[in-house]
Amino acid sequence: FALKDSQGQLQRLEALKGKWVVVNFWATWCAPCVKEIPEIAEFAKSQGDKTRVIGIALDWYNDDQPTAAEEKKIRAAASLMHPCWVMM
């Protein structure tokens, strides 16, 4: 599958073939999810190139388009975890 990352670039899961991949689903409205981001980011950093941690933000909006303020909130939280793929 493929999703855009927090910088708007399309990322494909197949590009990570041969690596361990940890997928973390989270949302800005989920306080425990946001709280664990620094720990997940530290884990990712400690693993180096052998493991990739991907955060997928699951923030849904009634009109399928977040407002500028909502998108800013998502991107700010996502900046703590790289790479972060954003499903909006």
Side-chain angles (χ1 to χ4, degrees):
F1 74 98
L3 290 173
K4 289 185 179 179
D5 64 19
S6 56
Q7 283 75 45
Q9 300 296 313
L10 190 64
Q11 300 292 326
R12 297 185 183 283
L13 186 58
E14 67 189 25
L16 302 176
K17 188 174 182 177
K19 296 180 185 257
W20 286 94
V21 178
V22 176
V23 180
N24 180 26
F25 294 92
W26 66 283
T28 58
W29 47 263
C30 173
C33 298
V34 174
K35 184 178 179 182
E36 73 184 3
I37 289 175
E39 288 181 52
I40 293 170
E42 184 59 36
F43 169 78
K45 185 177 178 182
S46 73
Q47 295 301 301
D49 286 338
K50 65 183 176 179
T51 303
R52 290 294 300 268
V53 176
I54 299 169
I56 299 182
L58 298 173
D59 284 271
W60 301 101
Y61 302 95
N62 291 335
D63 61 1
D64 292 329
Q65 293 296 319
T67 65
E70 291 166 333
E71 188 168 348
K72 183 177 180 182
K73 183 178 179 182
I74 294 167
R75 297 209 185 280
S79 71
L80 300 173
M81 181 176 12
H82 291 286
C84 183
W85 298 4
V86 182
M87 182 184 296
M88 293 188 274

